[in-house]
Each structure stands twice: as C-alpha cells, then as structure tokens.
Amino acid sequence: MKSARPVRRVAGTAATALLLAAGAVGALASPAVAKANSIAVGKVALGAGRPVVVTAELAYSCDPGSDVHLAATATGRSAKGHRPAVATGTLANKKLVCDARVHRARLVLHPQHGATFHRKDRVTVAAAVVTPRGAHYADASRTVTL
C-alpha cells in the first residue's frame, strides 16, 4: 500500500505558493490603483466680497468611487507679534469628478473671524485630498503674493 503523505505534501506546497503569489499581486496592485489621488495649487488671488476672500485654482484627481473631498487653507505671513490671517475652504465629494483624470476646480477660502487679507500680502495656500476620517491622500502647497 502506497502512502498518501507525499501527495498531500506536494498539494500543500502548491496551495501555499499560490496564496503567496496572490497576496503579492494584491499588495502590488493596491498602490498602483491609488496613484490617481493627486492635487496641485495653481493661481491664487484676492477675491471680492465682504470680508475679502481668497480664491485658489486647484488641479485634482481621485480614484473612481472614492469618498474624498478637497480642503485648503490660506495662511498670511504676519508681522512679528501678530497672529497670522487664516482662511479655509472645502469642496464636497458630490461636487468632485472622481475618475482618475485631472480636473480643475476653483475653491473659495473664507477668512476666519477677525482675519483680513490685503493686496501684496504674502500667503501660503496648502491643499489636500482628504478622506472623511481625515486621512490625507495627497498634499500640495504654494506661497504667493496677492
């Protein structure tokens, strides 16, 4: 009578190798798909209104079906001893086109209470593609003079 032990050992080794190969393919595929998340800050300008707002042109892309939003913050360079002026804005997921292509959006950044922006102010705009839990998929920043 022949032993079934060598046959089982070969079958077990083959199954293990198959699972390891499948895991490696899955690990390599995930980052490749996630590369569609990106953001870049374009033109930044002083907008109209009371209080004066800051507008930022953003170029973004996001993975198809992802639940992300765009968030941006403009921070003015302050004189020594003064608090910097800060303006923030978000663009909800329902207003984004998530198809892994690059799209453009204009984001209006509203100043916090008491913050003012003027022409010739030096401002740093930081933008991000953010998940609902607060994780950043992509970041970008740009410093300009208004």
Side-chain angles (χ1 to χ4, degrees), residues 51-62:
V52 175
V53 297
V54 175
T55 60
E57 298 285 335
L58 303 175
Y60 71 93
S61 70
C62 48

Side-chain angles (χ1 to χ4, degrees), residues 2-63:
K2 281 189 167 183
S3 173
R5 197 176 274 172
V7 173
R8 286 186 187 155
R9 186 174 294 155
V10 170
T13 303
T16 302
L18 183 63
L19 287 174
L20 287 174
V25 168
L28 292 175
S30 297
V33 173
K35 288 185 179 182
N37 295 311
S38 67
I39 192 163
V41 180
K43 182 180 176 185
V44 177
L46 200 58
R50 289 251 187 241
V52 175
V53 297
V54 175
T55 60
E57 298 285 335
L58 303 175
Y60 71 93
S61 70
C62 48
D63 292 328

Side-chain angles (χ1 to χ4, degrees), residues 78-84:
S78 63
K80 194 170 187 171
H82 295 280
R83 290 180 16 170

Side-chain angles (χ1 to χ4, degrees), residues 104-128:
R104 302 202 182 283
R106 177 176 291 189
L107 188 57
V108 177
L109 308 174
H110 298 280
Q112 291 180 345
H113 183 70
T116 58
F117 291 92
H118 305 284
R119 287 200 182 277
K120 307 221 182 206
D121 280 354
R122 193 103 170 118
V123 176
T124 300
V125 176

